[in-house]
Amino acid sequence: MSAANLSTAIPSKATVFVIFGGDGDLTWRKLVPALYSLFLDRRLPPQFKILGTGRKDFSEESYRQRLREGVERFSAAGKADEKNWTDFASNVSFLQADFSDPQGFAAIAAELAAYDESFSAKAVRLFYLAVPPVMFKPIVGGLAGEKLNRDRGHARIVVEKPFGHDLDSARQLNRFLGEHFLESQIYRIDHYLGKETVQNIMAFRFGNALFEPIWNRRYIDHVQITVAEEEGIGHRSGYYERAGALRDIIQNHLLQILCLIAMEPPISFDSDEVRQKKVDVLRAIRPIAPDQVGQNAVRGQYGAGSIRGERVVPYRSEPGVAPDSSTETFAAVRLFVDNWRWQDVPFYLRTGKRLPARISEVCIHFRAVPHQAFPGAALADSRPNRIVMAIQPEEGILLRFEVKHPGPSMALAPVMMQFYYREAFKTRSPEAYETLLLDVVRGDSTLFMRSDQTETAWEVIAPILEVWKSVRTTDFPNYHAGSWGPEAADIFIARDGRSWTLPTFLQCSEDLATCRVAREFFEQPGQGA
Ligand code: BG6
């Protein structure tokens, strides 16, 4: 989709991945498994090195062994084949470094110079910040101290989320990064943008003549975007207590999906063209006045409950969480995009931890037909059209439409057409990090956040953050783990005469032919209309 990844060319320039936080969880679970998959698929440049760096003490051997465990647990490839792993691991090293100490950066610079010598070429250097945000400044400062940021053609920096904590901190961070790197050298990650099904939103909208003419306020009643998770917060209380669901998922992943649904067709897939069209959406989102926050946003926190039959503890009893924490683990917002295409069409975004399923879905609800010629009796089971884009775990698209129910009389009934990636294509979908890492290697920033995108996204949620900070909650916890969130969220959408859509692809992953929930949802009257 992005300009460069339209081609399948294998990047040819020697490349070094310098991973700060090379001893951390992200490297172990995501980055190195993704790099290994790219290596197996022969998509990495022929000459490459991975230099992990961090505080922990690893020998070369123990570091490679640790990464191998991660690859075997988390990569699509599963158990690493001996020969492939040995070839891959021969390119992996670890350097113990304290990021507050300039000596560490001198050692990194020396290592990079030695790599260049071994390649007989100047390598592209990707500095990956897989570290908590407090480390961003010392690392960028350290790189600048060694002039490792200077070579604009070869130095790139990848910044993981969270990108700031609010609008001010995001601005400051952008300013600071901008002092040391050009915008074209900076790759701000939102891993949702690397997901195949998220990229597919553009293919679906702009690769078909069918949908674009009806993709507007005339035909669309409203849009729901859900990112639901079964997991709690695991061991991330240090981060999550300060973040909460609004910052963690809505400010980035959900707003980016909204942009893809709402953006105008780009003129080309040039990275700035696509990103500009997305920023235009964010800029058009109607600002929420402080006294309107209650009508446009709902928060929740999970109490005790059960997930898949297992009892789980309330958020406030998770390790590291304050017993009176007011951090939200559920958030729902209603946004309007003030432009000709979308005026007054609500976009409902919701996310939560400890919901009944891990499921991400976009549901486009179409308006009812403007005039019903059929007699009332024919319409008892009829439903407006709907398009569901399943992002995960099921990957596909589903279209609901009306047909005549077989029988002597005229009666309408909803049916569905479905497309599943795993049925239509026999190839594996790459993990988001595979796509994103490859794009950084190629120097394609289409799927990364530009500085103004991050700031405008913070502007959108800033009023909600402000009000939620100043008005303490009195009703937390307000939903049971394993439920679809607080009752307040149902009341919130019911005020508009609508209801949350039961995620359509729920349970479909077990067996497509007996997709029970989808069948009930589509075939029985009275459910999820
Ligand atoms: C991360 C959030 O950005 O996305 C996590 O910080 C969340 O809290 C995760 O669990 C979800 O990602 P995915 O790809 O599993 O949907």
Side-chain angles (χ1 to χ4, degrees):
M1 174 204 308
S2 42
N5 81 16
L6 289 173
S7 96
T8 51
I10 296 164
S12 56
K13 283 190 187 160
T15 303
V16 184
F17 300 85
V18 183
I19 308 181
F20 294 92
D23 48 356
D25 218 46
L26 185 72
T27 307
W28 189 56
R29 284 170 186 270
K30 298 283 186 191
L31 302 183
V32 172
L35 288 169
Y36 185 63
S37 295
L38 289 172
F39 171 78
L40 291 184
D41 291 347
R42 311 240 173 285
R43 289 181 192 275
L44 287 184
Q47 292 181 305
F48 76 94
K49 294 275 181 208
I50 298 169
L51 177 64
T53 163
R55 275 168 178 258
K56 290 196 186 134
D57 185 13
F58 280 111
S59 67
E60 198 110 291
E61 207 31 56
S62 62
Y63 186 58
R64 290 175 179 173
Q65 188 47 39
R66 162 95 180 138
L67 296 186
R68 181 175 186 161
E69 281 162 29
V71 162
E72 296 192 340
R73 268 176 73 172
F74 305 111
S75 86
K79 192 154 174 47
D81 156 279
E82 207 52 48
K83 159 110 183 49
N84 282 327
W85 175 258
T86 311
D87 289 351
F88 176 79
S90 67
N91 296 298
V92 176
S93 308
F94 185 76
L95 196 109
Q96 191 180 21
D98 174 354
F99 304 142
S100 55
D101 176 5
Q103 296 248 308
F105 292 91
I108 291 170
E111 195 75 9
L112 292 177
Y115 289 156
D116 282 357
E117 201 144 295
S118 72
F119 295 144
S120 308
K122 185 155 179 51
V124 171
R125 293 154 178 187
L126 310 183
F127 300 109
Y128 201 116
L129 305 188
V131 289
V134 285
M135 302 308 301
F136 292 175
K137 279 196 175 182
I139 293 173
V140 171
L143 292 173
E146 289 296 325
K147 303 190 175 47
L148 290 171
N149 56 333
R150 289 279 176 87
D151 186 339
R152 292 171 180 178
H154 288 83
R156 292 168 202 163
I157 186 152
V158 186
V159 188
E160 268 291 336
K161 67 170 278 235
F163 195 89
H165 184 72
D166 54 16
L167 180 56
D168 272 355
S169 53
R171 278 189 181 139
Q172 278 173 30
L173 183 53
N174 275 330
R175 214 174 302 128
F176 175 75
L177 287 171
E179 283 164 17
H180 299 286
F181 289 92
L182 295 177
E183 181 62 29
S184 59
Q185 293 175 280
I186 305 171
Y187 293 76
R188 298 173 191 79
I189 291 245
D190 180 326
H191 79 280
Y192 261 63
L193 296 180
K195 288 183 193 278
E196 202 71 4
T197 40
V198 172
Q199 294 184 66
N200 185 47
I201 297 173
M202 289 240 266
F204 182 76
R205 286 194 55 201
F206 306 131
N208 294 294
L210 219 52
F211 306 112
E212 204 44 31
I214 55 167
W215 213 256
N216 56 53
R217 64 191 303 274
R218 184 157 177 213
Y219 296 97
I220 294 178
D221 177 72
H222 74 285
V223 176
Q224 294 189 20
I225 311 177
T226 301
V227 169
E229 297 185 277
E230 284 176 72
E231 296 82 15
I233 51 145
H235 297 290
R236 300 167 73 217
S237 58
Y239 155 74
Y240 201 85
E241 271 282 84
R242 274 174 51 78
L246 189 63
R247 286 189 177 90
D248 187 43
I249 302 275
I250 294 193
Q251 188 271 346
N252 36 76
H253 309 326
L254 278 176
L255 282 181
Q256 287 305 308
I257 296 174
L258 183 153
C259 286
L260 288 164
I261 297 293
M263 70 192 272
E264 294 302 316
I267 293 161
S268 71
F269 284 111
D270 170 75
S271 107
D272 268 323
E273 165 65 7
V274 172
R275 296 192 295 177
Q276 188 55 47
K277 290 286 191 286
K278 290 182 8 180
V279 178
D280 287 346
V281 174
L282 292 173
R283 287 179 41 236
I285 292 178
R286 189 180 301 168
I288 301 175
D291 64 345
Q292 297 294 309
V293 165
Q295 276 93 68
N296 291 289
V298 172
R299 55 183 155 165
Q301 187 191 77
Y302 63 81
S306 62
I307 300 279
R308 293 181 188 256
E310 299 268 315
R311 295 293 299 165
V312 296
V313 299
Y315 176 70
R316 288 177 176 177
S317 305
E318 300 275 15
V321 171
D324 61 347
S325 170
S326 59
T327 299
E328 81 283 356
T329 58
F330 175 99
V333 301
R334 181 183 66 170
L335 299 171
F336 292 96
V337 178
D338 281 342
N339 60 20
W340 276 52
R341 189 189 281 267
W342 295 115
Q343 192 62 229
D344 293 334
V345 175
F347 286 77
Y348 298 97
L349 277 46
R350 74 175 159 161
T351 186
K353 301 271 186 205
R354 291 285 190 227
L355 299 188
R358 174 175 182 261
I359 200 152
S360 299
E361 216 171 77
V362 178
C363 191
I364 315 285
H365 293 251
F366 286 85
R367 290 182 187 279
V369 296
H371 169 67
Q372 271 299 4
F374 298 102
L379 300 174
D381 291 350
S382 90
R383 299 275 178 281
N385 297 127
R386 188 179 285 183
I387 291 175
V388 177
M389 299 179 177
I391 291 170
Q392 64 185 25
E394 191 52 83
E395 299 178 324
I397 290 179
L398 202 143
L399 167 66
R400 177 171 89 174
F401 59 101
E402 296 293 296
V403 295
K404 179 184 176 304
H405 197 285
S409 54
M410 175 55 82
L412 300 188
V415 291
M416 56 183 172
M417 267 184 188
Q418 1 181 353
F419 148 70
Y420 295 99
Y421 262 91
R422 61 198 169 101
E423 274 190 344
F425 302 101
K426 301 300 170 209
T427 57
R428 166 185 84 82
S429 289
E431 291 288 325
Y433 276 99
E434 291 175 45
T435 303
L436 296 174
L437 282 163
L438 197 55
D439 277 0
V440 187
V441 173
R442 289 167 166 155
D444 180 352
S445 45
T446 313
L447 300 181
F448 295 82
M449 308 280 285
R450 215 167 56 182
S451 60
D452 52 349
Q453 268 175 293
T454 54
E455 291 178 17
T456 320
W458 279 116
E459 271 171 46
V460 168
I461 65 157
I464 308 175
L465 286 176
E466 279 299 306
V467 169
W468 284 3
K469 192 167 101 188
S470 60
V471 181
R472 268 190 80 81
T473 53
T474 50
D475 63 343
F476 277 8
N478 60 356
Y479 71 97
H480 296 293
S483 73
W484 279 106
E487 201 188 344
D490 297 334
I491 298 170
F492 158 79
I493 193 167
R495 276 202 299 261
D496 292 348
R498 302 186 175 97
S499 59
W500 294 109
T501 310
L502 176 69
T504 315
F505 280 80
L506 194 60
Q507 295 177 19
C508 288
S509 47
E510 297 301 314
D511 178 357
L512 298 183
T514 57
C515 177
R516 189 177 59 78
V517 171
R519 269 173 199 274
E520 283 172 5
F521 175 63
F522 277 84
E523 290 172 7
Q524 284 183 13
Q527 282 203 16

